[in-house]
């Protein structure tokens, strides 16, 4: 009886560990993470946003200058 | 004897060598093409003339190098985690200014570490001559992530979270991780467009594309022309310039409104400090616990460089702002907790040197400090004395103010704690300095005060 209980405990324990591993990413590969790729792609978006801002600022500058006078 | 700087090993373009007085920078063959392009453009000379870049002259090449340069010696090498908010902000703006100027002339900064900037008094100067390379007209800025980690993240954390967040750079010497910065910032920080883009979006993209294999194709197809890079630098500049030091009060921010000197006593103490400084002038003085620098200013007429460390970031900020406004080129305020000064750190604990290893002063002043170290931080007098001795060169001077137990400020410190400081006496203090190899040369009493000033000289080896 106690052997069967232990077997069941092992089975459930094993399943719980397997589920944990499949649901949560393995952190052992953290040394291969590359923050540089994200930085490169982020700057493309940010530079585009800054370019749009510059375009509008240039377009509106005669008006803003006029109202500042 | 010339030795390679222990912090100069990452960049294969060249290395720094020093014998303590001369600083040489080697240029390796792999950087020859870049250096020749920089020389031909006259970019470095222009930046040097404008005071943005450290000055250099050519020397006969050291063995193994393609070229060797002698560069202007910085009086004291300080680190970003020792700077106040405005000093870090000045360093960030200088880096961006150089990036923009480089882009206009077809170059780009290949790295953007805060350690590339040093301070000569209140003036920031860029020290890495080999940080520039030709821009191919399409590559993204490889140093963008580094700039955000070294400058944007700590500045935002100090401005929006707490003054003390500047010390995070001491743990992460290649900059505060952006995901950590985002977690520590208050929710409203993301309402600032600059912080949202350069920290939150940036950290999100880093997370999304953390597997380099998945992002490789996108990264290779990402192009950034000169105009886009200038837009990016403008955006960073607006973000950094828009950050301001917090209003949050600190323990020592208003120190000079809370002393127990009478006007006559304060005047006499100033006179003594000025006289001792005049008698022992030299290259480097350190005013420990300088607060907003009242006594540092008295020293600066007699020493080429005066370090003004204090543990309170707000007091250091006040000091740095006032010096920048006056253009003072001699005093360097630093954030430094004497009970835990900057340690050796980085690779093999040799990349960044401890405060003590960098300090070889002609004179150290420790005014109204000993009771805080002994009773506030729990440092016994013999330890205090040997620490002071470690900061001065042989033959150098320590001007030490002893604040006895009867002093009202000491009584304040002891009011709510057990007095376990039986050995806190003037006799034990003098013995401690003698044991540390410091000979007492003079002592002075201060009018209307129980405090005394003692001038110790470190025995020559």
């Amino acid at each position: 009886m106690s052997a069967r209980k232990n077997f069941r405990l092992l089975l459930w324990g094993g399943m719980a560990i397997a589920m944990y591993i499949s649901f949560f990413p393995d952190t052992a590969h953290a040394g291969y993470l590359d923050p540089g790729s994200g930085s490169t792609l982020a700057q493309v978006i940010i530079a585009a946003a800054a370019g749009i801002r510059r375009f509008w600022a240039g377009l509106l500058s005669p008006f803003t200058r006029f109202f500042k006078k | 004897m010339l030795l390679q700087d222990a912090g100069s090993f990452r960049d294969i373009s060249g290395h720094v060598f020093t014998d303590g007085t001369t600083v040489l920078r080697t240029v390796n063959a792999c950087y020859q093409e870049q250096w020749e392009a920089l020389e031909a453009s006259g970019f470095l000379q222009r930046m040097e003339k404008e005071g943005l870049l450290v000055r250099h002259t050519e020397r006969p090449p050291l063995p193994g190098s393609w070229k060797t340069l002698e560069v202007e010696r910085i009086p004291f090498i300080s680190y970003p985690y020792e700077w106040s908010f405005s000093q870090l902000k000045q360093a960030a703006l200088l880096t961006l200014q150089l990036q923009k100027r480089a882009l206009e002339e077809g170059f780009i900064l290949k790295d953007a570490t805060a350690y590339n900037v040093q301070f000569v008094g209140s003036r920031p100067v860029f020290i890495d001559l080999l940080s520039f390379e030709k821009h191919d007209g399409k590559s993204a800025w490889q140093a963008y992530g580094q700039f955000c980690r070294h400058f944007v993240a700590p500045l935002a954390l100090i401005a929006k979270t707490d003054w003390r967040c500047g010390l995070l750079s001491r743990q992460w010497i290649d900059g505060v991780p952006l995901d950590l910065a985002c977690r520590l910032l208050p929710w409203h920080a993301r309402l600032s467009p600059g912080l949202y883009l350069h920290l939150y979006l940036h950290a999100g993209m880093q997370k999304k594309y953390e597997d380099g294999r998945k992002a490789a194709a996108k990264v290779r197809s990402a192009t950034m022309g000169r105009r886009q890079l200038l837009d990016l630098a403008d955006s960073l500049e607006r973000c950094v310039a828009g950050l301001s030091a917090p209003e949050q009060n600190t323990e020592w921010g208003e120190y000079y409104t809370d002393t127990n000197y009478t006007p006559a006593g304060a005047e006499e103490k100033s006179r003594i400090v000025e006289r001792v400084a005049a008698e022992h002038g030299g290259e480097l003085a350190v005013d420990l616990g300088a607060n907003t620098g009242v006594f540092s200013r008295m020293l600066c007429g007699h020493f080429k460089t005066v370090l003004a460390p204090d543990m309170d970031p707000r007091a250091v900020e006040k000091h740095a702002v006032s010096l920048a406004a006056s253009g003072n080129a001699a005093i360097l305020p630093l954030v430094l907790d004497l009970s835990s000064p900057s340690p050796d750190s980085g690779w093999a604990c040799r990349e960044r040197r401890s405060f003590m290893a960098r300090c070889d002063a002609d004179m150290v002043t420790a005014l109204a400090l000993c009771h805080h170290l002994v009773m506030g931080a729990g440092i016994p007098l013999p330890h205090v004395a040997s620490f002071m001795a470690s900061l001065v060169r042989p033959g150098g001077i320590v001007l030490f103010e002893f604040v006895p137990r009867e002093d009202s400020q000491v009584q304040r410190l002891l009011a709510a704690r057990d007095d376990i400081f039986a050995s806190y006496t003037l006799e034990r203090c003098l013995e401690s300095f003698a044991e540390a190899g410091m000979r007492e040369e003079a002592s002075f009493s201060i009018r209307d005060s129980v405090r005394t000033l003692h001038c110790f000289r470190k025995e020559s080896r």
Side-chain angles (χ1 to χ4, degrees), chain B residues 54-280:
Chain B
V54 76
R55 290 181 179 277
H56 77 276
T57 46
E58 214 168 312
R59 288 279 174 267
L62 289 178
S65 70
W66 168 70
K67 202 179 262 292
T68 297
L69 315 165
E70 181 176 345
V71 292
E72 175 191 342
R73 188 173 163 273
I74 301 296
F76 184 83
I77 297 292
S78 57
Y79 298 141
Y81 43 83
E82 296 170 337
W83 298 341
S84 71
F85 178 86
S86 63
Q87 287 169 313
L88 187 59
K89 186 169 167 176
Q90 273 182 287
L93 293 173
L94 172 69
T95 306
L96 289 173
Q97 189 183 358
L98 281 166
Q99 163 77 342
K100 285 164 74 173
R101 297 289 295 273
L103 285 167
E104 280 159 11
E105 304 205 23
F107 297 98
I108 191 167
L109 274 176
K110 66 179 182 185
D111 53 22
T113 155
Y115 295 90
N116 278 345
V117 181
Q118 284 299 322
F119 282 86
V120 179
S122 57
R123 181 174 69 88
V125 62
F126 197 85
I127 59 164
D128 191 358
L129 295 166
L130 311 189
S131 271
F132 301 93
E133 62 184 12
K134 284 187 284 182
H135 184 237
D136 59 9
K138 59 180 184 182
S139 297
W141 189 25
Q142 293 303 314
Y144 170 64
Q146 192 177 44
F147 183 88
C148 292
R149 291 195 306 275
H150 278 247
F151 295 110
V152 183
L155 283 170
L157 284 166
I158 298 171
K160 307 278 181 193
T161 304
D162 195 290
W163 282 105
R164 291 164 288 187
C165 287
L167 282 174
L168 286 172
S169 306
R170 187 160 124 173
Q171 169 62 27
W172 283 280
I173 66 164
D174 195 26
V176 179
L178 300 189
D179 61 322
L180 176 67
C182 293
R183 289 172 75 105
L184 293 175
L185 283 166
W187 67 268
H188 56 82
R190 67 187 69 208
L191 299 179
S192 147
L195 294 185
Y196 178 76
L197 292 171
H198 296 294
L199 292 183
Y200 290 95
L201 175 77
H202 191 168
M205 295 291 275
Q206 284 185 339
K207 179 75 189 150
K208 188 171 178 193
Y209 295 104
E210 62 188 3
D211 188 340
R213 290 168 303 185
K214 287 181 192 158
K218 282 187 178 166
V219 170
R220 270 196 288 272
S221 65
T223 56
M224 292 276 283
R226 193 174 68 172
R227 188 62 260 173
Q228 283 80 39
L229 288 166
L230 283 167
D231 285 339
L232 179 70
D234 282 337
S235 168
L236 281 166
E237 205 170 55
R238 276 193 300 275
C239 173
V240 169
L243 292 168
S244 47
E247 291 299 316
Q248 166 201 5
N249 276 330
T250 53
E251 194 182 352
W252 302 95
E254 304 294 336
Y255 173 72
Y256 285 113
T257 59
D258 190 26
T259 64
N260 62 5
Y261 290 109
T262 61
E267 201 186 313
E268 186 171 19
K269 179 177 167 182
S270 304
R271 244 194 336 264
I272 296 167
V273 173
E274 181 101 48
R275 200 172 76 207
V276 174
E279 282 168 14
H280 302 96

Side-chain angles (χ1 to χ4, degrees), chain B residues 7 16-17 27 29 35 44 67 82 140 165 180 227 232 287 299 322 331 342 354 356 370 390 415 423 434 460:
Chain B
V16 175
F17 293 80
V27 184
W35 183 261
L44 295 179
K67 202 179 262 292
E82 296 170 337
C165 287
L180 176 67
R227 188 62 260 173
L232 179 70
D287 180 18
L299 300 176
S322 73
I331 304 176
S342 310
S354 72
M356 289 76 77
C370 72
S390 74
S423 60
S460 297

Side-chain angles (χ1 to χ4, degrees), chain B residues 344-365:
Chain B
D344 286 324
S345 64
W347 175 245
C349 286
R350 295 181 61 217
E351 199 174 349
R352 306 288 166 226
R353 296 191 305 148
S354 72
F355 179 73
M356 289 76 77
R358 284 172 284 147
C359 195
D360 194 26
D362 296 293
M363 180 171 172
V364 168
T365 58

